[in-house]
Amino acid sequence: MFEDRPDRDAEVVLVGRSNVGKSTIMRELTGHDVSVGGKPGVTRQPNHFDWASESFMFTDLPGFGFMSGVEEDRREQIKTDVIRYVEENAERILAGVVVLDGKSAVDIIDRHRERGNVPHDVEMFAFLEDVGVDPIVAVNKTDKIDDLDERLDEICDRLGLYPPWQQWSDTVAPICAKRGDIDALEECLRDRFHDHNRDDLLKFVS
């Protein structure tokens, strides 16, 4: 179970499969270097960034789903811990950012559905809505996608958002964290902060 959550009353959490680029996004958001690994499952505990004088932090939650070299029961435990963390802190979470690998997300979702499973990404998106956390979908690694509009439409379709994706621009954020291009995500976060009457936090996503 995740312990030692800093005592902050507002938070943005990043959730998603292993190796989708959450730690790289965190580095872009915070300006702080974090352990970024080419190997899935590097982040096993939440990474909290609570350096600000405001009662606010960004939290990078461990990746779930397949991780090479990690036992299945351990993977399930991580996912359970992530869900419990979000549930317990839902009132403090201003936005839950579901990070997807734009290149592979649709294939992974479809593969799980064919096996009769609810894909983790779809489950997490719905779960955030269920606990009252406004989800943002950060579609990362857009530099590897040929027809971006088509791919974003497909992702919206899989998440139950009616395409075209442009009408969800306050929810779906195409980014390329590796190249430092997270403008669309920051814009979505600005909307969430404003909706929560936390304009004092806008400087963190300007």
Side-chain angles (χ1 to χ4, degrees):
M1 186 55 195
F2 304 149
E3 307 294 343
D4 305 323
R5 180 191 182 276
D7 184 19
R8 296 283 160 133
D9 65 11
E11 179 176 10
V12 168
V13 296
L14 270 61
V15 296
R17 291 178 179 280
S18 298
N19 235 22
V20 292
K22 293 189 305 298
S23 299
T24 308
I25 293 169
M26 195 63 131
R27 186 179 64 208
E28 289 300 320
L29 283 169
T30 64
H32 289 249
D33 226 344
V34 291
S35 54
V36 177
K39 204 172 69 179
V42 169
T43 308
R44 300 287 176 87
Q45 288 286 326
N47 275 326
H48 302 289
F49 289 84
D50 62 336
W51 72 98
S53 55
E54 289 78 7
S55 186
F56 167 73
M57 65 183 171
F58 287 104
T59 299
D60 175 17
L61 289 168
F64 46 77
F66 176 75
M67 297 170 243
S68 63
V70 180
E71 299 293 326
E72 186 174 353
D73 58 348
R74 173 75 186 126
R75 296 200 300 263
E76 281 303 310
Q77 185 59 51
I78 289 172
K79 188 178 143 200
T80 301
D81 287 347
V82 166
I83 284 173
R84 192 175 298 145
Y85 180 93
V86 172
E87 235 166 11
E88 288 176 358
N89 297 293
E91 288 184 4
R92 304 182 189 96
I93 297 174
L94 305 182
V97 182
V98 181
V99 183
L100 303 182
D101 179 333
K103 188 168 171 59
S104 62
V106 172
D107 289 342
I108 291 172
I109 288 170
D110 289 352
R111 200 159 61 233
H112 277 262
R113 283 218 165 113
E114 281 163 16
R115 293 188 203 134
N117 301 326
V118 178
H120 290 321
D121 317 286
V122 176
E123 184 183 25
M124 190 57 68
F125 181 81
F127 166 69
L128 287 169
E129 292 186 311
D130 286 348
V131 296
V133 174
D134 212 357
I136 295 169
V137 182
V139 181
N140 195 21
K141 307 187 184 183
T142 53
D143 56 318
K144 297 179 179 173
I145 300 169
D146 295 330
D147 189 334
L148 185 57
D149 285 335
E150 184 183 330
R151 178 56 51 88
L152 293 170
D153 283 350
E154 289 174 340
I155 287 170
C156 281
D157 177 64
R158 302 312 190 270
L159 293 173
L161 303 173
Y162 197 72
W165 78 270
Q166 286 89 344
Q167 65 183 341
W168 302 102
S169 60
D170 59 344
T171 301
V172 177
I175 62 171
C176 182
K178 191 177 69 177
R179 295 185 174 176
D181 176 13
I182 61 165
D183 293 355
L185 172 58
E186 291 184 324
E187 194 166 328
C188 289
L189 288 171
R190 284 197 290 273
D191 287 345
R192 300 300 185 278
F193 293 166
H194 187 68
D195 291 346
H196 284 276
N197 297 314
R198 290 302 302 264
D199 285 359
D200 59 312
L201 302 179
L202 291 175
K203 64 184 181 184
F204 295 113
V205 286
S206 59

